[in-house]
Amino acid sequence: MDKSWATFGRDLHLDLTGPGGLRAGLTRALREAVRTGRLAPGTRLPSTRSLAADLGIARNTVAETYADLVAEGWLSARQGSGTHVADRAQPHAVPARRPAGPGHRAAPRFDLTPGTPDVSAFPRTAWLAAARRALTAAPHEAFGYGTARGRPELRAVLADYLARARGVRADPERIVVCAGFMQGLALVSRALRAAGGGPGRAAGRRGAADRGPGTTPDGWRPGDGTVATESYGLDFHRHVIGRAGLRTVPLTVDAHGARTAELAGLDDVRAALLTPAHQFPTGVPLHPGRRAEALNWAAEHGALILEDDYDGEFRYDRQPVGALQGLDPDRVVYMGTSSKSLAPALRLSWMVLPDRLVDPVLAVKSTGEWQSGSLDQLTLAEFLSSGAYDRHLRGMRLRYRRRRDALVAALAAHAPHVRVSGIAAGLHAVLELPPGTEQSIVTAARWQGLALEGLSRFRDPAATEPARDGLVVAYGRPPDHSFAGVLDALLRALPPEPQAD
């Protein structure tokens, strides 16, 4: 029985069509593959027998083609070592794009933009050990496509961890694993749009006889609606909500977080997206009184709180602020992620849903949404249950706190006129600036090789409160070895202290 083509050497994608017959087509295809760099210098080619079998042509045709290309200098061949792409057969280089002009600046040396932790500190050794244990113990069905809800092993471990570390009241059956926070927000938004949201302030406590047609027993109804978002936050969160067919309206943010009392004055608001533990980007926790206001509003109007607990595990000066969900799990969607605690590349996040929202979210997620890889889910479950996650977080808290302290000390010594806030938790701080100076300082930072975002970058254009000038400094992002250089560049970009008259 002849050997299958799949048993021979490495595969080559070669198109033999064109004038001149098979030999000419093969010569042309190999020459083009070398010229364009698809076959790099030094690459070993399949034997004449293997390639002939793969392509379904005569072995002599391949041998003659190889000989022709060796003679031309494209290939090299030595007895006993096979045929290789010649070392001097360099592909044509694509010309580098020239700078746009004299104002062109090189890529920044240091990155202080928020959104990413210190990825150089990812616990590779511990993660690999957990992956090996998880892979060894994985049931056969774990290598299938998975389910919309997520691996049961991870959901069970998450329920225990979130209760212990964040005060979340979670049952594994109410946890849905997602491929990142953005997917979770999109799923909830689409579920609200499809299955309905809060009926608005006028209908919060109506009886069944008073509900309109199509309204569910708990007061929800399908159709258009609005989600309240914090006036300072991430614009792509608003975009995700908008793409789901819902509108957004801003809630004012001040020194105590979002002004949740404003919710009672808004019509047709089905949910409020909040960052209670550490407002992004201002860095303040939501005041206890406002937490109570938000929950009371949700209960009265049949609405939801979407709790973004993006970095709640990183608190430095006192005990972490517990999750809002623990106070009312039937009104709060808790949303957590591994993007700040481990790395964004894992694409692992989770939602703890009220009972009434589980089926609508799963219905949306089952229509073709990406699933997180089962093996990564099993690895995270093992990482959590073994205690490696807690050990990693303790180490990273110490590392990030040292950087925060170094930032505060450097500002106190060299720029005492710049006030820093939002430093009790998280991976970033806010440097407050005089009105009208933010953009010029962001530009000066670029000239110092520093990528930096101003506070205005995160302000909702629909916000009504006066704009604030400031810098959002993500001290958690640069690796340790570069942090001294980061501080030097930042201090050079800051304005000098105003001189007294």
Side-chain angles (χ1 to χ4, degrees):
M1 180 176 177
D2 292 337
K3 291 185 178 180
S4 164
W5 65 269
T7 65
F8 293 106
R10 66 178 62 193
D11 294 339
L12 296 181
H13 176 72
L14 299 173
D15 183 2
L16 308 189
T17 59
L22 289 175
R23 180 175 169 184
L26 178 58
T27 302
R28 186 167 50 247
L30 283 170
R31 189 187 291 123
E32 186 66 15
V34 174
R35 178 186 289 118
T36 59
R38 284 203 304 113
L39 292 177
T43 299
R44 182 171 181 171
L45 298 183
S47 69
T48 56
R49 183 169 64 91
S50 295
L51 187 57
D54 285 352
L55 298 177
I57 62 178
R59 182 178 180 184
N60 283 344
T61 301
V62 178
E64 291 167 358
T65 299
Y66 278 9
D68 290 344
L69 293 176
V70 168
E72 294 176 11
W74 294 102
L75 304 181
S76 63
R78 286 186 298 176
Q79 187 68 30
S81 63
T83 305
H84 296 73
V85 176
D87 289 339
R88 61 184 179 181
Q90 298 292 341
H92 292 306
V94 177
R97 184 174 181 180
R98 295 180 179 273
H104 173 79
R105 291 185 290 272
R109 294 174 57 210
F110 308 117
D111 195 346
L112 283 179
T113 56
T116 302
D118 180 0
V119 293
S120 71
F122 182 80
R124 301 180 189 219
T125 301
W127 184 263
L128 181 59
R132 286 172 174 162
R133 294 192 299 270
L135 189 61
T136 300
H140 296 316
E141 51 88 14
F143 296 89
Y145 284 106
T147 65
R149 201 182 293 265
R151 289 299 307 174
E153 298 91 340
L154 178 57
R155 292 186 286 108
V157 174
L158 277 173
D160 291 339
Y161 170 77
L162 294 173
R164 167 173 58 84
R166 300 297 299 128
V168 172
R169 293 158 63 185
D171 182 281
E173 293 304 303
R174 292 169 55 183
I175 295 177
V176 174
V177 179
C178 301
F181 174 86
M182 296 286 282
Q183 185 189 48
L185 180 59
L187 290 171
V188 170
S189 300
R190 288 161 58 191
L192 287 175
R193 178 69 174 83
R201 58 177 173 168
R205 298 190 177 182
R206 290 183 299 183
D210 298 322
R211 298 188 186 109
T215 304
T216 61
D218 55 17
W220 286 22
R221 57 176 170 69
D224 295 334
T226 302
V227 176
T229 61
E230 295 166 329
S231 60
Y232 279 86
L234 293 168
D235 55 357
F236 44 80
H237 289 175
R238 298 191 296 271
H239 296 162
V240 166
I241 295 169
R243 285 196 296 270
L246 302 173
R247 298 179 297 276
T248 63
V249 61
L251 292 176
T252 304
V253 171
D254 60 21
H256 298 294
R259 292 183 182 172
T260 51
E262 295 178 359
L263 290 168
L266 300 174
D267 289 324
D268 202 26
V269 174
R270 302 185 167 192
L273 175 61
L274 304 176
T275 49
H278 189 228
Q279 202 282 325
F280 184 86
T282 65
V284 297
L286 187 62
H287 187 275
R290 296 185 179 182
R291 291 162 70 96
E293 285 175 347
L295 294 174
N296 290 339
W297 165 80
E300 182 178 350
H301 294 84
L304 291 171
I305 304 296
L306 311 182
E307 180 176 16
D308 179 4
D309 195 33
Y310 67 101
D311 65 359
E313 292 149 317
F314 294 110
R315 196 161 191 89
Y316 311 118
D317 298 324
R318 57 182 182 272
Q319 284 293 107
V321 176
L324 186 65
Q325 189 267 4
L327 299 176
D328 194 344
D330 293 328
R331 304 290 178 187
V332 180
V333 176
Y334 177 87
M335 310 173 79
T337 176
S338 65
S339 293
K340 305 299 184 294
S341 58
L342 286 168
L346 293 178
R347 310 310 307 145
L348 284 172
S349 69
W350 42 87
M351 298 187 294
V352 183
L353 300 168
D355 282 335
R356 59 179 173 172
L357 201 57
V358 173
D359 288 341
V361 166
L362 291 177
V364 173
K365 196 168 188 280
S366 299
T367 58
E369 285 288 324
W370 289 107
Q371 312 291 349
S372 297
S374 292
L375 299 184
D376 281 342
Q377 292 184 55
L378 291 172
T379 300
L380 180 57
E382 172 63 25
F383 201 70
L384 280 159
S385 61
S386 69
Y389 189 74
D390 288 271
R391 290 191 294 273
H392 171 70
L393 285 179
R394 285 195 295 270
M396 295 310 297
R397 283 192 203 104
L398 180 60
R399 177 176 296 191
Y400 291 142
R401 179 171 182 168
R402 286 171 177 165
R403 295 188 199 173
R404 182 207 65 170
D405 293 347
L407 170 65
V408 173
L411 291 171
H414 303 285
H417 56 291
V418 176
R419 183 174 177 269
V420 60
S421 62
I423 59 174
L427 308 179
H428 71 274
V430 174
L431 276 56
E432 301 181 20
L433 301 174
T437 63
E438 179 186 298
Q439 190 52 53
S440 63
I441 296 172
V442 170
T443 301
R446 293 197 192 107
W447 286 109
Q448 296 296 334
L450 198 60
L452 202 59
E453 298 279 14
L455 196 57
S456 62
R457 159 71 179 78
F458 304 101
R459 185 174 184 267
D460 188 335
T464 57
E465 73 266 32
R468 299 162 52 185
D469 282 53
L471 300 177
V472 182
V473 177
Y475 58 81
R477 183 165 192 161
D480 283 340
H481 66 82
S482 69
F483 198 65
V486 168
L487 288 181
D488 289 342
L490 178 63
L491 292 172
R492 289 193 298 269
L494 294 176
E497 186 172 3
Q499 299 296 317
D501 294 333

